[in-house]
Amino acid sequence: MSDAVARLAEVKARIAAAEREARREAGSVTLVAVSKTFDAVDIRPVIAAGQRVFGENRVQEAQGKWPVLKGEWIDLELHLIGPLQSNKAREAVALFDVIETVDREKIAAELAKEIARQDKAPKLYIQVNTGSEPQKAGIEPREAVAFVRRCREVHGLAIEGLMCIPPVEENPGPHFALLEKLAREAGVEKLSMGMSSDYELAVAFGASSVRVGSAIFGSR
Ligand SMILES: *Cc1c(COP(=O)(O)O)cnc(C)c1O
């Protein structure tokens, strides 16, 4: 058994325990295994062990490994969790099943165009910069609800979720709570929050998916 497969089992057990602890339904949290910087040889054993949902943060890197893997397994689900440039919208719509990082008008417009052109509609989440960090992607929290509405009404996009990456040096709990509150206000169902260091806490705050990289694949 590869180290990653053993660690995958551990992470799944911890998610199950966190679901029980929070009195949430078993299996209600989706594990997104973040495979960025790892190659297909590292990823294959994890797929073979039953994992089907993966996250990548760069379009170009994902294009280098996932078309082949998607050809081998028909039921994989690939999430884009890194910043999206508008000149990459075409490739992103073609490759990803979920795009979690919609955060500005221009991207929303480009995605709407590509979705119509390719007749393929990845699920879309809005990234919220809950810590208002200048260097971080994401829409400002105070603009998030209006942006969801504009995505729906102006661009005709079906927005399913919100996503956040809390500041590294802060307690993530208040950020998770803020994302949950904004999702309720915006009428959005899914919450992508929690990484290797805080995914159990995210489950307690209502995450519908957690994005776990190093706790499965090892340090990058
Ligand atoms: C890399 C990454 C993760 C996974 O981080 P780990 O700490 O390795 O679990 C989660 N979300 C995003 C947006 C990332 O870029």
Side-chain angles (χ1 to χ4, degrees):
M1 189 162 53
S2 81
D3 288 352
V5 169
R7 285 189 295 249
L8 172 71
E10 164 84 16
V11 168
K12 282 174 27 180
R14 284 172 176 260
I15 290 171
E19 286 171 341
R20 279 194 300 276
E21 180 87 8
R23 305 200 182 284
R24 296 186 53 186
E25 193 185 331
S28 56
V29 178
T30 299
L31 170 60
V32 180
V34 177
S35 50
K36 66 189 187 200
T37 78
F38 290 92
D39 295 328
V41 289
D42 306 306
I43 299 169
R44 270 199 191 85
V46 174
I47 303 173
Q51 179 64 25
R52 288 295 179 268
V53 186
F54 290 85
E56 289 281 344
N57 71 334
R58 289 171 197 275
V59 175
Q60 208 165 342
E61 183 189 337
Q63 282 178 311
K65 49 190 167 179
W66 285 98
V68 174
L69 294 168
K70 282 188 155 198
E72 292 171 29
W73 282 276
I74 55 158
D75 55 347
L76 296 178
E77 183 178 296
L78 192 59
H79 292 226
L80 178 63
I81 60 170
L84 178 58
Q85 309 304 322
S86 48
N87 63 0
K88 287 282 190 332
R90 178 161 302 181
E91 288 90 341
V93 168
L95 181 61
F96 289 92
D97 304 291
V98 183
I99 296 173
E100 297 199 10
T101 50
V102 182
D103 67 351
R104 58 196 186 279
E105 205 75 38
K106 190 166 178 217
I107 290 292
E110 282 299 321
L111 289 172
K113 203 163 79 188
E114 282 307 319
I115 285 167
R117 202 184 68 88
Q118 299 184 35
D119 192 23
K120 180 176 183 288
K123 295 179 173 148
L124 302 175
Y125 294 10
I126 304 296
Q127 181 175 353
V128 183
N129 186 359
T130 57
S132 298
E133 295 173 279
Q135 83 289 2
K136 198 165 271 176
I139 190 108
E140 284 295 307
R142 67 176 179 280
E143 296 168 7
V145 175
F147 183 57
V148 169
R149 192 178 328 116
R150 274 203 311 283
C151 284
R152 288 171 169 161
E153 292 173 5
V154 178
H155 301 288
L157 296 171
I159 302 298
E160 299 208 354
L162 300 184
M163 176 271 218
C164 74
I165 312 170
V168 277
E169 67 291 349
E170 282 182 34
N171 172 8
H175 295 272
F176 296 158
L178 173 59
L179 199 69
E180 194 274 334
K181 174 175 163 279
L182 292 173
R184 245 186 303 117
E185 287 173 15
V188 156
E189 195 188 343
K190 306 274 189 185
L191 289 170
S192 171
M193 56 192 199
M195 316 194 344
S196 289
S197 56
D198 54 23
Y199 64 91
E200 289 151 294
L201 184 69
V203 171
F205 276 92
S208 51
S209 61
V210 293
R211 311 177 306 269
V212 180
S214 48
I216 296 170
F217 287 100
S219 56
R220 292 181 291 270

